PDB file of all heavy atoms in Angstrom:
ATOM      1  N   LEU A   1       0.845  -1.201  -0.008  1.00 89.00           N
ATOM      2  CA  LEU A   1       0.011   0.009   0.001  1.00 89.00           C
ATOM      3  C   LEU A   1       0.820   1.236   0.007  1.00 89.00           C
ATOM      4  O   LEU A   1       0.568   2.184  -0.812  1.00 89.00           O
ATOM      5  CB  LEU A   1      -0.940   0.009   1.236  1.00 89.00           C
ATOM      6  CG  LEU A   1      -1.888   1.193   1.312  1.00 89.00           C
ATOM      7  CD1 LEU A   1      -2.830   1.203   0.146  1.00 89.00           C
ATOM      8  CD2 LEU A   1      -2.685   1.150   2.604  1.00 89.00           C
ATOM      9  N   SER A   2       1.865   1.291   0.888  1.00 87.00           N
ATOM     10  CA  SER A   2       2.683   2.494   0.840  1.00 87.00           C
ATOM     11  C   SER A   2       3.505   2.718  -0.453  1.00 87.00           C
ATOM     12  O   SER A   2       3.694   3.769  -0.833  1.00 87.00           O
ATOM     13  CB  SER A   2       3.645   2.477   2.057  1.00 87.00           C
ATOM     14  OG  SER A   2       4.577   1.425   2.015  1.00 87.00           O
ATOM     15  N   SER A   3       3.888   1.604  -1.075  1.00 86.00           N
ATOM     16  CA  SER A   3       4.603   1.768  -2.327  1.00 86.00           C
ATOM     17  C   SER A   3       3.748   2.274  -3.411  1.00 86.00           C
ATOM     18  O   SER A   3       4.149   3.062  -4.265  1.00 86.00           O
ATOM     19  CB  SER A   3       5.153   0.283  -2.747  1.00 86.00           C
ATOM     20  OG  SER A   3       6.168  -0.089  -1.863  1.00 86.00           O
ATOM     21  N   ALA A   4       2.470   1.903  -3.386  1.00 87.00           N
ATOM     22  CA  ALA A   4       1.534   2.266  -4.451  1.00 87.00           C
ATOM     23  C   ALA A   4       0.922   3.639  -4.226  1.00 87.00           C
ATOM     24  O   ALA A   4       0.684   4.465  -5.151  1.00 87.00           O
ATOM     25  CB  ALA A   4       0.462   1.216  -4.645  1.00 87.00           C
ATOM     26  N   HIS A   5       0.593   3.974  -2.954  1.00 89.00           N
ATOM     27  CA  HIS A   5      -0.207   5.177  -2.635  1.00 89.00           C
ATOM     28  C   HIS A   5       0.513   6.201  -1.744  1.00 89.00           C
ATOM     29  O   HIS A   5      -0.107   7.154  -1.422  1.00 89.00           O
ATOM     30  CB  HIS A   5      -1.536   4.813  -2.029  1.00 89.00           C
ATOM     31  CG  HIS A   5      -2.415   4.118  -3.107  1.00 89.00           C
ATOM     32  ND1 HIS A   5      -3.048   4.752  -4.086  1.00 89.00           N
ATOM     33  CD2 HIS A   5      -2.783   2.835  -3.200  1.00 89.00           C
ATOM     34  CE1 HIS A   5      -3.742   3.827  -4.848  1.00 89.00           C
ATOM     35  NE2 HIS A   5      -3.630   2.658  -4.259  1.00 89.00           N
ATOM     36  N   GLY A   6       1.695   5.826  -1.216  1.00 89.00           N
ATOM     37  CA  GLY A   6       2.415   6.721  -0.305  1.00 89.00           C
ATOM     38  C   GLY A   6       2.167   6.582   1.122  1.00 89.00           C
ATOM     39  O   GLY A   6       1.296   5.742   1.566  1.00 89.00           O
ATOM     40  N   VAL A   7       2.935   7.300   1.916  1.00 91.00           N
ATOM     41  CA  VAL A   7       2.869   7.132   3.359  1.00 91.00           C
ATOM     42  C   VAL A   7       1.591   7.610   3.952  1.00 91.00           C
ATOM     43  O   VAL A   7       1.043   6.950   4.922  1.00 91.00           O
ATOM     44  CB  VAL A   7       4.102   7.889   4.022  1.00 91.00           C
ATOM     45  CG1 VAL A   7       4.012   7.856   5.445  1.00 91.00           C
ATOM     46  CG2 VAL A   7       5.413   7.359   3.388  1.00 91.00           C
ATOM     47  N   GLU A   8       0.964   8.614   3.420  1.00 93.00           N
ATOM     48  CA  GLU A   8      -0.263   9.200   4.048  1.00 93.00           C
ATOM     49  C   GLU A   8      -1.346   8.068   3.884  1.00 93.00           C
ATOM     50  O   GLU A   8      -2.091   7.891   4.841  1.00 93.00           O
ATOM     51  CB  GLU A   8      -0.713  10.475   3.341  1.00 93.00           C
ATOM     52  CG  GLU A   8      -1.883  11.065   3.968  1.00 93.00           C
ATOM     53  CD  GLU A   8      -2.261  12.373   3.290  1.00 93.00           C
ATOM     54  OE1 GLU A   8      -1.442  12.986   2.624  1.00 93.00           O
ATOM     55  OE2 GLU A   8      -3.476  12.716   3.505  1.00 93.00           O
ATOM     56  N   ALA A   9      -1.527   7.428   2.775  1.00 92.00           N
ATOM     57  CA  ALA A   9      -2.605   6.470   2.630  1.00 92.00           C
ATOM     58  C   ALA A   9      -2.251   5.235   3.520  1.00 92.00           C
ATOM     59  O   ALA A   9      -3.169   4.682   4.120  1.00 92.00           O
ATOM     60  CB  ALA A   9      -2.621   6.004   1.132  1.00 92.00           C
ATOM     61  N   TYR A  10      -0.975   4.907   3.575  1.00 92.00           N
ATOM     62  CA  TYR A  10      -0.502   3.799   4.469  1.00 92.00           C
ATOM     63  C   TYR A  10      -0.960   4.103   5.959  1.00 92.00           C
ATOM     64  O   TYR A  10      -1.479   3.267   6.609  1.00 92.00           O
ATOM     65  CB  TYR A  10       0.972   3.639   4.303  1.00 92.00           C
ATOM     66  CG  TYR A  10       1.550   2.727   5.401  1.00 92.00           C
ATOM     67  CD1 TYR A  10       1.516   1.395   5.253  1.00 92.00           C
ATOM     68  CD2 TYR A  10       2.141   3.279   6.524  1.00 92.00           C
ATOM     69  CE1 TYR A  10       2.121   0.543   6.186  1.00 92.00           C
ATOM     70  CE2 TYR A  10       2.678   2.429   7.515  1.00 92.00           C
ATOM     71  CZ  TYR A  10       2.634   1.114   7.335  1.00 92.00           C
ATOM     72  OH  TYR A  10       3.227   0.308   8.289  1.00 92.00           O
ATOM     73  N   ALA A  11      -0.704   5.319   6.368  1.00 94.00           N
ATOM     74  CA  ALA A  11      -1.028   5.685   7.734  1.00 94.00           C
ATOM     75  C   ALA A  11      -2.512   5.690   7.973  1.00 94.00           C
ATOM     76  O   ALA A  11      -2.990   5.232   9.046  1.00 94.00           O
ATOM     77  CB  ALA A  11      -0.411   7.041   8.072  1.00 94.00           C
ATOM     78  N   ARG A  12      -3.343   6.144   7.016  1.00 95.00           N
ATOM     79  CA  ARG A  12      -4.776   6.207   7.169  1.00 95.00           C
ATOM     80  C   ARG A  12      -5.303   4.771   7.284  1.00 95.00           C
ATOM     81  O   ARG A  12      -6.269   4.615   8.032  1.00 95.00           O
ATOM     82  CB  ARG A  12      -5.440   6.859   6.025  1.00 95.00           C
ATOM     83  CG  ARG A  12      -5.320   8.429   6.123  1.00 95.00           C
ATOM     84  CD  ARG A  12      -6.319   9.093   5.163  1.00 95.00           C
ATOM     85  NE  ARG A  12      -6.313   8.562   3.799  1.00 95.00           N
ATOM     86  CZ  ARG A  12      -5.602   9.058   2.804  1.00 95.00           C
ATOM     87  NH1 ARG A  12      -4.772  10.107   3.049  1.00 95.00           N
ATOM     88  NH2 ARG A  12      -5.583   8.574   1.638  1.00 95.00           N
ATOM     89  N   VAL A  13      -4.786   3.824   6.640  1.00 95.00           N
ATOM     90  CA  VAL A  13      -5.253   2.422   6.661  1.00 95.00           C
ATOM     91  C   VAL A  13      -4.711   1.676   7.811  1.00 95.00           C
ATOM     92  O   VAL A  13      -5.396   1.007   8.575  1.00 95.00           O
ATOM     93  CB  VAL A  13      -4.999   1.720   5.316  1.00 95.00           C
ATOM     94  CG1 VAL A  13      -5.315   0.213   5.385  1.00 95.00           C
ATOM     95  CG2 VAL A  13      -5.805   2.370   4.194  1.00 95.00           C
ATOM     96  N   PHE A  14      -3.380   1.705   7.989  1.00 95.00           N
ATOM     97  CA  PHE A  14      -2.746   0.826   8.899  1.00 95.00           C
ATOM     98  C   PHE A  14      -2.713   1.369  10.351  1.00 95.00           C
ATOM     99  O   PHE A  14      -2.355   0.659  11.317  1.00 95.00           O
ATOM    100  CB  PHE A  14      -1.326   0.412   8.452  1.00 95.00           C
ATOM    101  CG  PHE A  14      -1.535  -0.704   7.480  1.00 95.00           C
ATOM    102  CD1 PHE A  14      -1.563  -0.541   6.109  1.00 95.00           C
ATOM    103  CD2 PHE A  14      -1.631  -2.012   7.951  1.00 95.00           C
ATOM    104  CE1 PHE A  14      -1.780  -1.530   5.236  1.00 95.00           C
ATOM    105  CE2 PHE A  14      -1.820  -3.051   7.023  1.00 95.00           C
ATOM    106  CZ  PHE A  14      -1.871  -2.854   5.686  1.00 95.00           C
ATOM    107  N   THR A  15      -3.019   2.579  10.626  1.00 95.00           N
ATOM    108  CA  THR A  15      -3.155   3.045  12.068  1.00 95.00           C
ATOM    109  C   THR A  15      -4.341   2.386  12.670  1.00 95.00           C
ATOM    110  O   THR A  15      -4.260   1.703  13.720  1.00 95.00           O
ATOM    111  CB  THR A  15      -3.252   4.557  12.123  1.00 95.00           C
ATOM    112  OG1 THR A  15      -2.072   5.095  11.569  1.00 95.00           O
ATOM    113  CG2 THR A  15      -3.460   5.039  13.495  1.00 95.00           C
ATOM    114  N   PRO A  16      -5.545   2.421  12.005  1.00 96.00           N
ATOM    115  CA  PRO A  16      -6.691   1.581  12.650  1.00 96.00           C
ATOM    116  C   PRO A  16      -6.480   0.142  12.517  1.00 96.00           C
ATOM    117  O   PRO A  16      -6.949  -0.634  13.413  1.00 96.00           O
ATOM    118  CB  PRO A  16      -7.923   2.082  11.779  1.00 96.00           C
ATOM    119  CG  PRO A  16      -7.419   2.788  10.645  1.00 96.00           C
ATOM    120  CD  PRO A  16      -6.032   3.238  10.907  1.00 96.00           C
ATOM    121  N   MET A  17      -5.710  -0.363  11.487  1.00 95.00           N
ATOM    122  CA  MET A  17      -5.462  -1.796  11.385  1.00 95.00           C
ATOM    123  C   MET A  17      -4.637  -2.277  12.596  1.00 95.00           C
ATOM    124  O   MET A  17      -4.816  -3.363  13.143  1.00 95.00           O
ATOM    125  CB  MET A  17      -4.792  -2.117  10.104  1.00 95.00           C
ATOM    126  CG  MET A  17      -4.506  -3.556   9.866  1.00 95.00           C
ATOM    127  SD  MET A  17      -6.102  -4.480   9.787  1.00 95.00           S
ATOM    128  CE  MET A  17      -5.512  -6.149  10.143  1.00 95.00           C
ATOM    129  N   ALA A  18      -3.674  -1.379  13.005  1.00 95.00           N
ATOM    130  CA  ALA A  18      -2.827  -1.721  14.162  1.00 95.00           C
ATOM    131  C   ALA A  18      -3.746  -1.785  15.421  1.00 95.00           C
ATOM    132  O   ALA A  18      -3.518  -2.619  16.273  1.00 95.00           O
ATOM    133  CB  ALA A  18      -1.767  -0.730  14.335  1.00 95.00           C
ATOM    134  N   ALA A  19      -4.687  -0.829  15.554  1.00 96.00           N
ATOM    135  CA  ALA A  19      -5.591  -0.857  16.628  1.00 96.00           C
ATOM    136  C   ALA A  19      -6.446  -2.138  16.692  1.00 96.00           C
ATOM    137  O   ALA A  19      -6.696  -2.729  17.678  1.00 96.00           O
ATOM    138  CB  ALA A  19      -6.475   0.370  16.701  1.00 96.00           C
ATOM    139  N   CYS A  20      -6.860  -2.561  15.468  1.00 96.00           N
ATOM    140  CA  CYS A  20      -7.585  -3.850  15.310  1.00 96.00           C
ATOM    141  C   CYS A  20      -6.769  -5.001  15.849  1.00 96.00           C
ATOM    142  O   CYS A  20      -7.269  -5.841  16.602  1.00 96.00           O
ATOM    143  CB  CYS A  20      -7.993  -4.045  13.831  1.00 96.00           C
ATOM    144  SG  CYS A  20      -8.662  -5.638  13.447  1.00 96.00           S
ATOM    145  N   GLU A  21      -5.525  -5.043  15.413  1.00 96.00           N
ATOM    146  CA  GLU A  21      -4.679  -6.146  15.804  1.00 96.00           C
ATOM    147  C   GLU A  21      -4.479  -6.082  17.367  1.00 96.00           C
ATOM    148  O   GLU A  21      -4.470  -7.187  17.992  1.00 96.00           O
ATOM    149  CB  GLU A  21      -3.321  -6.010  15.136  1.00 96.00           C
ATOM    150  CG  GLU A  21      -2.368  -7.114  15.500  1.00 96.00           C
ATOM    151  CD  GLU A  21      -1.054  -7.012  14.764  1.00 96.00           C
ATOM    152  OE1 GLU A  21      -0.697  -5.907  14.284  1.00 96.00           O
ATOM    153  OE2 GLU A  21      -0.237  -7.990  14.808  1.00 96.00           O
ATOM    154  N   ARG A  22      -4.273  -4.952  17.974  1.00 96.00           N
ATOM    155  CA  ARG A  22      -4.124  -4.863  19.457  1.00 96.00           C
ATOM    156  C   ARG A  22      -5.389  -5.376  20.132  1.00 96.00           C
ATOM    157  O   ARG A  22      -5.288  -6.041  21.095  1.00 96.00           O
ATOM    158  CB  ARG A  22      -3.802  -3.426  19.826  1.00 96.00           C
ATOM    159  CG  ARG A  22      -2.320  -3.001  19.606  1.00 96.00           C
ATOM    160  CD  ARG A  22      -1.957  -1.699  20.258  1.00 96.00           C
ATOM    161  NE  ARG A  22      -2.882  -0.635  19.877  1.00 96.00           N
ATOM    162  CZ  ARG A  22      -2.711   0.216  18.821  1.00 96.00           C
ATOM    163  NH1 ARG A  22      -1.656  -0.054  17.956  1.00 96.00           N
ATOM    164  NH2 ARG A  22      -3.517   1.143  18.514  1.00 96.00           N
ATOM    165  N   CYS A  23      -6.573  -4.974  19.631  1.00 96.00           N
ATOM    166  CA  CYS A  23      -7.821  -5.373  20.241  1.00 96.00           C
ATOM    167  C   CYS A  23      -7.956  -6.906  20.121  1.00 96.00           C
ATOM    168  O   CYS A  23      -8.432  -7.609  21.063  1.00 96.00           O
ATOM    169  CB  CYS A  23      -8.979  -4.719  19.558  1.00 96.00           C
ATOM    170  SG  CYS A  23      -9.150  -2.962  20.030  1.00 96.00           S
ATOM    171  N   LEU A  24      -7.610  -7.476  19.026  1.00 96.00           N
ATOM    172  CA  LEU A  24      -7.615  -8.945  18.941  1.00 96.00           C
ATOM    173  C   LEU A  24      -6.708  -9.663  19.881  1.00 96.00           C
ATOM    174  O   LEU A  24      -7.015 -10.630  20.479  1.00 96.00           O
ATOM    175  CB  LEU A  24      -7.373  -9.387  17.495  1.00 96.00           C
ATOM    176  CG  LEU A  24      -8.472  -9.172  16.461  1.00 96.00           C
ATOM    177  CD1 LEU A  24      -7.946  -9.494  15.053  1.00 96.00           C
ATOM    178  CD2 LEU A  24      -9.706  -9.936  16.811  1.00 96.00           C
ATOM    179  N   ASN A  25      -5.472  -9.022  20.078  1.00 95.00           N
ATOM    180  CA  ASN A  25      -4.550  -9.581  21.024  1.00 95.00           C
ATOM    181  C   ASN A  25      -5.117  -9.480  22.484  1.00 95.00           C
ATOM    182  O   ASN A  25      -4.978 -10.381  23.235  1.00 95.00           O
ATOM    183  CB  ASN A  25      -3.241  -8.886  20.977  1.00 95.00           C
ATOM    184  CG  ASN A  25      -2.397  -9.405  19.781  1.00 95.00           C
ATOM    185  OD1 ASN A  25      -2.441 -10.552  19.463  1.00 95.00           O
ATOM    186  ND2 ASN A  25      -1.757  -8.440  19.140  1.00 95.00           N
ATOM    187  N   ARG A  26      -5.841  -8.360  22.760  1.00 96.00           N
ATOM    188  CA  ARG A  26      -6.406  -8.158  24.021  1.00 96.00           C
ATOM    189  C   ARG A  26      -7.585  -9.186  24.215  1.00 96.00           C
ATOM    190  O   ARG A  26      -7.821  -9.692  25.329  1.00 96.00           O
ATOM    191  CB  ARG A  26      -6.998  -6.782  24.251  1.00 96.00           C
ATOM    192  CG  ARG A  26      -5.854  -5.748  24.460  1.00 96.00           C
ATOM    193  CD  ARG A  26      -6.519  -4.391  24.713  1.00 96.00           C
ATOM    194  NE  ARG A  26      -5.574  -3.343  24.513  1.00 96.00           N
ATOM    195  CZ  ARG A  26      -5.681  -2.291  23.606  1.00 96.00           C
ATOM    196  NH1 ARG A  26      -6.867  -2.170  22.987  1.00 96.00           N
ATOM    197  NH2 ARG A  26      -4.784  -1.378  23.445  1.00 96.00           N
ATOM    198  N   ALA A  27      -8.367  -9.368  23.184  1.00 95.00           N
ATOM    199  CA  ALA A  27      -9.475 -10.364  23.219  1.00 95.00           C
ATOM    200  C   ALA A  27      -8.920 -11.791  23.573  1.00 95.00           C
ATOM    201  O   ALA A  27      -9.502 -12.462  24.440  1.00 95.00           O
ATOM    202  CB  ALA A  27     -10.225 -10.340  21.893  1.00 95.00           C
ATOM    203  N   TRP A  28      -7.917 -12.168  22.951  1.00 95.00           N
ATOM    204  CA  TRP A  28      -7.312 -13.461  23.242  1.00 95.00           C
ATOM    205  C   TRP A  28      -6.795 -13.559  24.636  1.00 95.00           C
ATOM    206  O   TRP A  28      -7.031 -14.478  25.368  1.00 95.00           O
ATOM    207  CB  TRP A  28      -6.099 -13.757  22.237  1.00 95.00           C
ATOM    208  CG  TRP A  28      -5.512 -15.055  22.426  1.00 95.00           C
ATOM    209  CD1 TRP A  28      -5.917 -16.241  21.911  1.00 95.00           C
ATOM    210  CD2 TRP A  28      -4.411 -15.354  23.303  1.00 95.00           C
ATOM    211  NE1 TRP A  28      -5.083 -17.264  22.377  1.00 95.00           N
ATOM    212  CE2 TRP A  28      -4.126 -16.727  23.200  1.00 95.00           C
ATOM    213  CE3 TRP A  28      -3.578 -14.587  24.146  1.00 95.00           C
ATOM    214  CZ2 TRP A  28      -3.140 -17.348  23.902  1.00 95.00           C
ATOM    215  CZ3 TRP A  28      -2.546 -15.225  24.817  1.00 95.00           C
ATOM    216  CH2 TRP A  28      -2.333 -16.610  24.700  1.00 95.00           C
ATOM    217  N   SER A  29      -6.105 -12.468  25.092  1.00 95.00           N
ATOM    218  CA  SER A  29      -5.573 -12.418  26.474  1.00 95.00           C
ATOM    219  C   SER A  29      -6.698 -12.466  27.446  1.00 95.00           C
ATOM    220  O   SER A  29      -6.549 -13.175  28.517  1.00 95.00           O
ATOM    221  CB  SER A  29      -4.704 -11.160  26.595  1.00 95.00           C
ATOM    222  OG  SER A  29      -4.214 -11.106  27.864  1.00 95.00           O
ATOM    223  N   ALA A  30      -7.724 -11.718  27.238  1.00 95.00           N
ATOM    224  CA  ALA A  30      -8.896 -11.663  28.187  1.00 95.00           C
ATOM    225  C   ALA A  30      -9.541 -13.035  28.268  1.00 95.00           C
ATOM    226  O   ALA A  30      -9.922 -13.569  29.364  1.00 95.00           O
ATOM    227  CB  ALA A  30      -9.877 -10.618  27.813  1.00 95.00           C
ATOM    228  N   LEU A  31      -9.599 -13.727  27.120  1.00 94.00           N
ATOM    229  CA  LEU A  31     -10.208 -15.039  27.136  1.00 94.00           C
ATOM    230  C   LEU A  31      -9.352 -16.093  27.886  1.00 94.00           C
ATOM    231  O   LEU A  31      -9.883 -16.878  28.715  1.00 94.00           O
ATOM    232  CB  LEU A  31     -10.506 -15.516  25.671  1.00 94.00           C
ATOM    233  CG  LEU A  31     -11.364 -16.728  25.513  1.00 94.00           C
ATOM    234  CD1 LEU A  31     -12.772 -16.422  26.135  1.00 94.00           C
ATOM    235  CD2 LEU A  31     -11.534 -17.007  24.054  1.00 94.00           C
ATOM    236  N   VAL A  32      -8.048 -15.979  27.691  1.00 93.00           N
ATOM    237  CA  VAL A  32      -7.126 -16.868  28.377  1.00 93.00           C
ATOM    238  C   VAL A  32      -7.176 -16.671  29.933  1.00 93.00           C
ATOM    239  O   VAL A  32      -7.114 -17.520  30.720  1.00 93.00           O
ATOM    240  CB  VAL A  32      -5.730 -16.727  27.762  1.00 93.00           C
ATOM    241  CG1 VAL A  32      -4.692 -17.428  28.679  1.00 93.00           C
ATOM    242  CG2 VAL A  32      -5.598 -17.263  26.369  1.00 93.00           C
ATOM    243  N   ASP A  33      -7.394 -15.340  30.309  1.00 94.00           N
ATOM    244  CA  ASP A  33      -7.475 -15.024  31.704  1.00 94.00           C
ATOM    245  C   ASP A  33      -8.820 -15.359  32.298  1.00 94.00           C
ATOM    246  O   ASP A  33      -9.086 -14.977  33.460  1.00 94.00           O
ATOM    247  CB  ASP A  33      -7.113 -13.529  31.891  1.00 94.00           C
ATOM    248  CG  ASP A  33      -5.600 -13.252  31.627  1.00 94.00           C
ATOM    249  OD1 ASP A  33      -4.824 -14.230  31.671  1.00 94.00           O
ATOM    250  OD2 ASP A  33      -5.305 -12.108  31.468  1.00 94.00           O
ATOM    251  N   GLY A  34      -9.773 -15.803  31.464  1.00 93.00           N
ATOM    252  CA  GLY A  34     -11.037 -16.223  32.054  1.00 93.00           C
ATOM    253  C   GLY A  34     -12.108 -15.133  31.996  1.00 93.00           C
ATOM    254  O   GLY A  34     -12.986 -15.132  32.811  1.00 93.00           O
ATOM    255  N   HIS A  35     -12.037 -14.152  31.055  1.00 95.00           N
ATOM    256  CA  HIS A  35     -12.978 -13.027  30.981  1.00 95.00           C
ATOM    257  C   HIS A  35     -13.585 -13.030  29.574  1.00 95.00           C
ATOM    258  O   HIS A  35     -13.229 -12.193  28.783  1.00 95.00           O
ATOM    259  CB  HIS A  35     -12.292 -11.713  31.252  1.00 95.00           C
ATOM    260  CG  HIS A  35     -11.603 -11.728  32.601  1.00 95.00           C
ATOM    261  ND1 HIS A  35     -12.303 -11.578  33.725  1.00 95.00           N
ATOM    262  CD2 HIS A  35     -10.266 -11.772  32.940  1.00 95.00           C
ATOM    263  CE1 HIS A  35     -11.528 -11.562  34.804  1.00 95.00           C
ATOM    264  NE2 HIS A  35     -10.241 -11.699  34.315  1.00 95.00           N
ATOM    265  N   PRO A  36     -14.510 -13.967  29.302  1.00 94.00           N
ATOM    266  CA  PRO A  36     -15.048 -14.023  27.938  1.00 94.00           C
ATOM    267  C   PRO A  36     -15.905 -12.812  27.567  1.00 94.00           C
ATOM    268  O   PRO A  36     -15.864 -12.458  26.356  1.00 94.00           O
ATOM    269  CB  PRO A  36     -15.965 -15.303  27.993  1.00 94.00           C
ATOM    270  CG  PRO A  36     -16.157 -15.561  29.400  1.00 94.00           C
ATOM    271  CD  PRO A  36     -15.016 -15.012  30.166  1.00 94.00           C
ATOM    272  N   ALA A  37     -16.508 -12.219  28.505  1.00 95.00           N
ATOM    273  CA  ALA A  37     -17.342 -10.996  28.126  1.00 95.00           C
ATOM    274  C   ALA A  37     -16.363  -9.863  27.613  1.00 95.00           C
ATOM    275  O   ALA A  37     -16.601  -9.176  26.644  1.00 95.00           O
ATOM    276  CB  ALA A  37     -18.093 -10.465  29.357  1.00 95.00           C
TER     277      ALA A  37
END
């Protein structure tokens, strides 16, 4: 994406994508710790 559209487009897409990844990691961690909700 950054090669084709530049750093600004990359940042607009992958900043929220990084937040998505962090939330999924937190979801996994919470489940392992016994907090399914």
Side-chain angles (χ1 to χ4, degrees):
L1 182 63
S2 65
S3 295
H5 294 286
V7 177
E8 185 178 342
Y10 168 82
R12 280 195 314 265
V13 172
F14 278 94
T15 297
M17 184 62 201
C20 169
E21 183 182 12
R22 283 191 303 274
C23 286
L24 286 174
N25 284 320
R26 286 186 200 122
W28 182 88
S29 181
L31 195 56
V32 169
D33 289 343
H35 303 285

